[in-house]
Amino acid sequence: MLFFDYHSTTPVEPGVAEKVLLYMTKEFGNASSTEHAIGDAAEDAVKEAKSHIANLVGASPRDIIFTSGSTESINLAIQGTVQHLENKDIHPRIALSAVEHKAVLDTCLALEEQGRVKLSILPVDTQARIDLAQLEQACASGIHLLCVMAANNEVGTIYPVKKIAHIAQTYNVPFLCDASQAVGKVPIHFKEWGITMLSLSAHKFYGPQGVGALVVKRGHPLEPLLYGGGHQRGLRSGTLNLPGIVGLGEACRLRKLEMEEDERAIREKRDRLQKLLTDKIPGLVVNGDQENRLAGNLHISIPGIPNSAVIARVRLKLAISTGSACSSGVEAPSHVLRAMNRDEDIVEGSLRIGLGKFTTDAEVVAAAEILSQTVHAVRAAMAV
Ligand code: PLP
């Protein structure tokens, strides 16, 4: 089975897994148990993890709130900001890009449906790029929150976060950057660029699933989603997930050290796979911004060949995705490709291929062979 679905999740680095196991079995303290040394050791481990995360994204350790992952971080950022504004009798206006992950999009749409916010959706072009002039207009119009991701989880387009943060700051607009696909892959400077809130998930960069963080600029007011023991300055009650947090910290430490070299090697393999597929499959279209996309992203469409026909044939030997299937497993047409205004056969024929640091050259060749043979088989079957 070949794994080419690194946008969905990644295998945990062996060194990270070892640390997680250690903190599950031997160093298992509750970081809030201040009465004994086992609790103190847990607290120290949390502090160390914070410093690794802060170091990777250019933040201060005190800015970090641990969560169960990006979905929770995003909900805390959006709902927490909205609740705070409502407490001050403000009816919030939010601008967000049309290609945000559902964690952002559906949170905002739910709040709109409840009559609690007014939304402005920022359009993208055919390569999923955002128009900065339009974004600036939205900021100038007096919005209360701007949401733009750092990199797209379907087509891999990387957004100019530094410029976006600068525009948001100019108009005093809090800026939430969903950096789930970008952390550990492209440089991010939270403080220097002036980002207000940033979400990340450990399992997107070789850490464990179910743990992540929201990085929040000091002074940005938030109301909590969860009430309880008042952990994490009252913003996220609940016993800290110590093994997960240690794993997240270790994954960040390793990305800081290895990101540049790993991403260069991943890009080379992705380019090789793109060349092999383009040569073998006539009519193949590469989606997204080829000048500015994640190194491990290859998003293709084969017009006339429904993606479901390809996935059904390869699913036991090659893990790839349509990129748009929701967690219920019900396939919906990609809102990202729709927002990019792509033709219906491009949308229906789209496949997301994701490479990572464990992808080998032999796997690249094998994946290209499986995909091209499958496409030829589907074409032959459709011609009958
Ligand atoms: N945002 C983006 C861009 C993502 O790719 C994902 C995961 O696919 C999420 C948010 C949600 O992350 P999680 O499922 O870890 O909460």
Side-chain angles (χ1 to χ4, degrees):
M1 184 83 202
L2 305 175
F3 186 72
F4 277 79
D5 197 16
Y6 274 82
H7 300 291
S8 71
T9 197
T10 61
V12 176
E13 288 247 18
V16 171
E18 259 171 46
K19 279 202 96 163
V20 172
L21 184 63
L22 179 70
Y23 280 84
M24 290 178 98
T25 53
K26 297 208 164 67
E27 308 278 346
F28 54 84
N30 184 326
S32 304
S33 299
T34 50
E35 295 89 354
H36 51 72
I38 294 177
D40 294 345
E43 196 190 3
D44 287 347
V46 170
K47 277 192 189 144
E48 191 188 327
K50 276 191 181 176
S51 73
H52 293 318
I53 301 162
N55 196 24
L56 180 64
V57 300
S60 295
R62 61 162 188 256
D63 301 336
I64 290 155
I65 298 166
F66 292 108
T67 64
S68 60
S70 266
T71 302
E72 185 191 332
S73 300
I74 289 163
N75 272 271
L76 174 57
I78 298 174
Q79 297 198 51
T81 300
V82 166
Q83 185 62 59
H84 176 80
L85 291 164
E86 286 175 337
N87 291 350
K88 297 202 314 187
D89 283 334
I90 295 169
H91 186 61
R93 292 174 51 214
I94 303 177
L96 63 156
S97 92
V99 295
E100 293 300 298
H101 186 272
K102 293 277 184 180
V104 172
L105 207 50
D106 285 7
T107 302
C108 288
L109 289 172
L111 290 170
E112 185 185 49
E113 204 158 296
Q114 293 162 14
R116 295 175 59 191
V117 300
K118 200 168 174 301
L119 300 182
S120 308
I121 309 280
L122 303 169
V124 295
D125 68 9
T126 54
Q127 294 175 44
R129 293 175 304 198
I130 204 158
D131 181 342
L132 290 183
Q134 251 171 337
L135 182 143
E136 180 157 8
Q137 259 176 22
C139 289
S141 75
I143 53 172
H144 301 91
L145 180 64
L146 171 69
C147 308
V148 181
M149 62 200 336
N152 187 267
N153 51 293
E154 288 190 35
V155 295
T157 298
I158 296 172
Y159 293 94
V161 174
K162 185 179 178 182
K163 284 187 187 157
I164 293 169
H166 179 73
I167 295 170
Q169 262 190 321
T170 305
Y171 295 94
N172 244 338
V173 174
F175 167 38
L176 165 64
C177 180
D178 170 7
S180 314
Q181 293 290 342
V183 167
K185 292 159 197 156
V186 294
I188 291 179
H189 302 280
F190 180 81
K191 260 201 298 196
E192 194 189 311
W193 292 353
I195 303 167
T196 317
M197 294 179 281
L198 180 137
S199 66
L200 58 93
S201 260
H203 71 109
K204 306 292 187 186
F205 51 95
Y206 318 109
Q209 297 178 351
V211 62
L214 179 67
V215 187
V216 187
K217 183 178 171 180
R218 225 158 76 137
H220 176 74
L222 274 182
E223 293 297 324
L225 294 181
L226 305 177
Y227 293 90
H231 306 72
Q232 308 202 68
R233 288 182 277 128
L235 279 173
R236 206 280 194 171
S237 281
T239 301
L240 293 180
N241 168 7
L242 182 69
I245 287 168
V246 168
L248 165 60
E250 183 64 4
C252 286
R253 189 183 72 80
L254 291 172
R255 281 311 86 213
K256 180 79 184 171
L257 291 175
E258 299 170 359
M259 170 169 100
E260 220 178 295
E261 207 176 311
D262 281 350
E263 292 300 299
R264 194 177 315 117
I266 292 167
R267 179 174 289 106
E268 272 175 29
K269 292 192 179 75
R270 187 273 315 275
D271 289 346
R272 178 156 187 229
L273 182 56
Q274 180 170 328
K275 168 109 184 46
L276 285 169
L277 290 175
T278 315
D279 288 350
K280 284 170 189 278
I281 305 175
L284 180 138
V285 174
V286 178
N287 299 310
D289 181 0
Q290 288 191 54
E291 299 302 308
N292 220 354
R293 69 184 152 155
L294 292 168
N297 178 275
L298 178 54
H299 194 282
I300 58 170
S301 289
I302 308 157
I305 308 275
N307 49 22
S308 53
V310 177
I311 299 265
R313 282 175 161 83
V314 303
R315 64 190 314 284
L316 295 180
K317 45 191 173 185
L318 176 63
I320 54 170
S321 141
T322 60
S324 60
C326 70
S327 55
S328 63
V330 179
E331 271 184 38
S334 159
H335 72 281
V336 173
L337 290 177
R338 285 263 160 84
M340 290 161 68
N341 209 8
R342 303 310 304 261
D343 290 344
E344 218 40 48
D345 59 345
I346 295 277
V347 178
E348 280 172 15
S350 67
L351 294 167
R352 182 184 70 177
I353 304 170
L355 294 81
K357 68 170 286 185
F358 299 112
T359 308
T360 64
D361 285 321
E363 286 177 330
V364 164
V365 173
E369 199 53 38
I370 291 171
L371 268 174
S372 58
Q373 279 179 12
T374 304
V375 169
H376 292 143
V378 175
R379 277 194 175 134
M382 288 172 80
V384 174

